[in-house]
Amino acid sequence: MTENVSGAPDPDETLGASSPEPGSGIERDPDDWATGEEPMTAAQRSYLDTLAREAGEELPADLTKAEASKHIDRLQGESGRVQDQ
């Protein structure tokens, strides 16, 4: 982070990019996540519950972040809920 003369953050500084950089981690395999073995997040749990209900599937409630992500990707692909861009 850069700071201006007053010590405040530079208002022109930005985070992120207009398009993802190659290898930026957006498409990284969940098995490679540093936190992949942690329990799934509340957001993952909620979304996975919705997708599984729509698909007529039951999934264990004790999934890891990585496992939940894989199921989400699979169920999204099967449902057509998310289209390739």
Side-chain angles (χ1 to χ4, degrees):
M1 172 171 52
T2 59
E3 297 177 350
N4 59 24
V5 176
S6 67
D10 183 348
D12 294 325
E13 183 179 20
T14 61
L15 300 175
S18 59
S19 62
E21 294 179 32
S24 65
I26 292 176
E27 297 293 327
R28 190 170 22 168
D29 186 332
D31 290 330
D32 296 334
W33 295 355
T35 60
E37 291 302 314
E38 293 178 5
M40 72 177 133
T41 66
Q44 283 179 310
R45 183 184 185 101
S46 175
Y47 189 43
L48 191 52
D49 183 50
T50 299
L51 291 172
R53 285 176 191 267
E54 288 177 357
E57 289 190 29
E58 288 187 13
L59 298 169
D62 63 346
L63 297 172
T64 64
K65 287 180 182 179
E67 291 168 335
S69 179
K70 290 177 185 180
H71 282 292
I72 289 169
D73 288 346
R74 177 181 60 80
L75 290 168
Q76 282 178 334
E78 291 173 4
S79 74
R81 185 179 266 263
V82 175
Q83 303 291 322
D84 288 335
Q85 295 179 358

